[in-house]
């Protein structure tokens, strides 16, 4: 554990290789012993076969010499006799209770008699005593006959014994193979277990390091420090991470203290700005634009003359609802459902006024209609689409209003199919540089009666929700401008 990972891996590899080598040597040795045992079981038959061949050669050489008496025959006889005598020395030369040993002793005695009679026959033949040589030759022939029978019987005994031993050897080899398989399985499981433990000891802290790194990347620094004190590479990484986490925490504490001070100043400034905006809105709400009121009442009168009192009543109710909401909730907190109702009243008024100038499409796909937001937020966006996005279109204008949920946000979208929003104006509005923007874009007080422009809407949204990306301006699928409000779901 005190060595590096590289040295530990090398040690584990050497240990595993050594275990495998020992296991292979054991299996190889067991197989060699089994093979050698089987081979030795049949060496007796092979040796007896060689002995039979040697005795047969001696008898043939003896017959040839007795009949022909040539120099080559005597040389062959002496050579074959020497080989037979050498092999005879390997036979059992004492009586024994074992049947095989006793039969082997009989072969030895018959071999001794055969060689004695054969030597006498050769000697007498070389002396010219043909009758004496033939008498010994007949006795040697008889001894050879009994020798062949004894050798054949001994060979059968060896075969029977070897067959019996072969069965025992086969069973022993089977048991040996079974034990070898168990050893291989056991060693494989053991090696796999050791490798699993070793790899786990490496990957577990690495996994924790990876998870900690992801948390740090997500700005979550409230995490426990590592407790790995091993003097290896992973321990060094853990200690480095601990030092890094402590340094980041100290740095965050310093930044946090500075941020608290700055935030207090910013809140004071924000309160002053909100008070200013509220005072400004209150003053603006107290004003009724004569042009808007005149145009609205004139349109209502014309509608009453043309269609009767029912439509006029609906129209005037929408106007009353619009102004009532405008005076009560503008600049204050409201809910999404009330804002949508106000927007419907405003669109109704504008449709009566402008006729086929535009069509309004609404899609509400959310249940969060109780969502809190500043008052008078949606109407200025639709007003901007009508007055500026569709200003060059006599008819065929489209305004889309959508409310839906996307992940952890509720999205409110207002868009049109006009020429779009100039990029330089978009940047200036989002940055709050209202002095660089034409007055008609910043605020709409020509005939709406609200006097609430885009910059004011953006400022109130950012102040209400405490994050800057709550509002954005983009391009709609129809090519016009799109105003998007992204509200976090609480």
């Amino acid at each position: 554990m005190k060595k590096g990972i590289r040295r530990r891996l090398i040690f584990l590899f050497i240990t595993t290789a050594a275990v495998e080598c020992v296991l292979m040597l054991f299996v190889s040795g067991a197989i060699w012993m089994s093979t050698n045992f089987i081979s030795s079981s049949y060496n007796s038959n092979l040796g007896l076969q060689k002995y039979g061949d040697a005795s047969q050669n001696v008898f043939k050489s003896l017959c040839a010499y007795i009949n022909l008496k040539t120099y080559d025959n005597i040389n062959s006889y002496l050579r074959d006799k020497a080989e037979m005598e050498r092999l005879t020395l390997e036979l059992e030369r004492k009586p024994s209770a074992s049947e095989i040993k006793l039969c082997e002793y009989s072969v030895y005695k018959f071999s001794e008699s055969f060689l004695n009679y054969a030597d006498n026959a050769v000697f007498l033949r070389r002396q010219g005593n043909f009758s004496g040589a033939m008498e010994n030759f007949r006795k040697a022939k008889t001894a050879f006959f009994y020798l062949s029978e004894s050798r054949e019987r001994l060979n059968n005994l060896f075969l029977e014994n070897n067959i019996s031993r072969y069965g025992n050897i086969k069973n022993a080899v089977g048991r040996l193979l079974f034990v070898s398989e168990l050893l291989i399985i056991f060693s494989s499981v053991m090696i796999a277990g050791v490798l699993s433990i070793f790899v786990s000891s490496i990957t577990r802290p690495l996994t924790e390091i990876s998870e900690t790194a992801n948390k740090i990347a997500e700005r979550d620094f409230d995490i426990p420090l590592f407790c790995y004190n091993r003097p290896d590479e992973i321990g060094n990484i853990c200690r480095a991470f601990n030092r890094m986490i402590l340094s980041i925490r100290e740095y965050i504490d310093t930044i946090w203290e500075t941020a608290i001070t700055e935030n207090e100043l910013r809140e004071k400034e924000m309160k002053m700005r909100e008070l200013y905006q509220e005072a400004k809105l209150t003053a603006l709400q107290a004003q009724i634009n004569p042009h808007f009121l005149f145009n609205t009442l004139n349109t209502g009168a014309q509608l009453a003359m043309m269609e009767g009192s029912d439509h006029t009543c609906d129209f005037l109710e929408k106007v009353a609802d619009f102004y009532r909401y405008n005076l009560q909730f503008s600049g204050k907190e409201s809910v999404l459902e009330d804002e949508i109702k106000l927007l419907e009243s405003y669109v109704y008024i504008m449709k009566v006024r402008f006729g086929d100038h535009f069509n309004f499409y609404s899609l509400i796909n959310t249940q969060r209609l109780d969502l809190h937001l500043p008052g008078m937020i949606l109407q200025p966006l639709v007003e901007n689409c009508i007055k500026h996005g569709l200003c060059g279109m006599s008819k065929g204008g489209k305004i889309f209003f959508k409310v839906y949920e996307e992940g952890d946000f509720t999205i409110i979208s207002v868009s049109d199919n006009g020429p779009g929003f100039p990029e330089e104006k978009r940047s200036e509005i989002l940055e709050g540089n209202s002095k660089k923007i034409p007055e008609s874009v910043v605020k709409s007080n020509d005939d709406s009666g609200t006097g609430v422009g885009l910059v004011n809407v953006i400022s109130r949204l950012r102040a209400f929700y405490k994050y800057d990306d709550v509002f954005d301006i983009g391009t709609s699928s129809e090519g016009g401008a799109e105003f998007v409000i992204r509200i976090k779901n609480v």
Side-chain angles (χ1 to χ4, degrees), residues 196-340:
S196 177
I197 294 172
F198 180 79
V199 172
S200 178
S201 66
I202 297 176
T203 57
R204 191 188 313 111
L206 290 178
T207 302
E208 295 181 8
I209 291 172
S210 176
E211 293 175 354
T212 301
N214 290 332
K215 291 181 180 179
I216 292 175
E218 295 173 358
R219 300 180 181 180
D220 181 12
F221 303 104
D222 190 16
I223 51 178
L225 299 177
F226 292 102
C227 299
Y228 294 95
N229 296 320
R230 297 182 300 187
D232 55 9
E233 292 83 352
I234 295 178
N236 294 335
I237 294 175
C238 292
R239 286 187 289 273
F241 256 88
N242 288 340
R243 290 193 297 270
M244 181 183 68
I245 293 172
L246 293 175
S247 298
I248 292 176
R249 288 178 180 176
E250 293 175 358
Y251 182 70
I252 290 176
D253 291 338
T254 303
I255 294 177
W256 183 251
E257 293 174 357
T258 305
I260 291 175
T261 303
E262 294 178 354
N263 189 52
E264 291 176 353
L265 296 174
R266 190 180 295 109
E267 286 180 355
K268 292 180 180 179
E269 182 182 357
M270 186 66 67
K271 288 181 180 179
M272 295 296 294
R273 186 176 299 176
E274 288 177 358
L275 292 173
Y276 171 76
Q277 291 294 341
E278 185 176 353
K280 181 179 178 181
L281 288 172
T282 302
L284 290 174
Q285 289 171 3
Q287 302 173 4
I288 298 178
N289 193 313
H291 295 287
F292 179 78
L293 181 60
F294 174 78
N295 291 334
T296 301
L297 295 177
N298 186 48
T299 303
Q302 293 178 6
L303 184 64
M305 292 173 60
M306 296 174 59
E307 298 184 356
S309 61
D310 292 338
H311 291 285
T312 304
C313 181
D314 292 339
F315 179 79
L316 293 177
E317 285 180 355
K318 297 292 184 181
V319 174
D321 291 341
F322 176 81
Y323 276 106
R324 185 183 302 110
Y325 186 92
N326 183 28
L327 292 173
Q328 291 179 355
F329 295 102
S330 180
K332 298 180 181 179
E333 182 177 328
S334 181
V335 293
L336 180 59
E337 184 177 8
D338 293 338
E339 283 288 299
I340 293 175

Side-chain angles (χ1 to χ4, degrees), residues 84-129:
M84 183 178 175
E85 288 177 341
R86 185 184 66 80
L87 295 174
T88 301
L89 295 175
E90 298 176 3
L91 298 173
E92 182 67 33
R93 289 181 287 179
K94 292 181 180 180
S96 176
S98 172
E99 186 178 5
I100 293 178
K101 296 294 184 180
L102 183 60
C103 186
E104 192 173 344
Y105 175 73
S106 299
V107 172
Y108 170 76
K109 296 304 290 184
F110 284 125
S111 298
E112 192 175 43
S113 298
F114 167 71
L115 291 176
N116 287 334
Y117 288 126
D119 285 340
N120 291 335
V122 170
F123 177 76
L124 294 174
R125 184 70 175 89
R126 295 179 69 180
Q127 296 294 326
N129 186 355

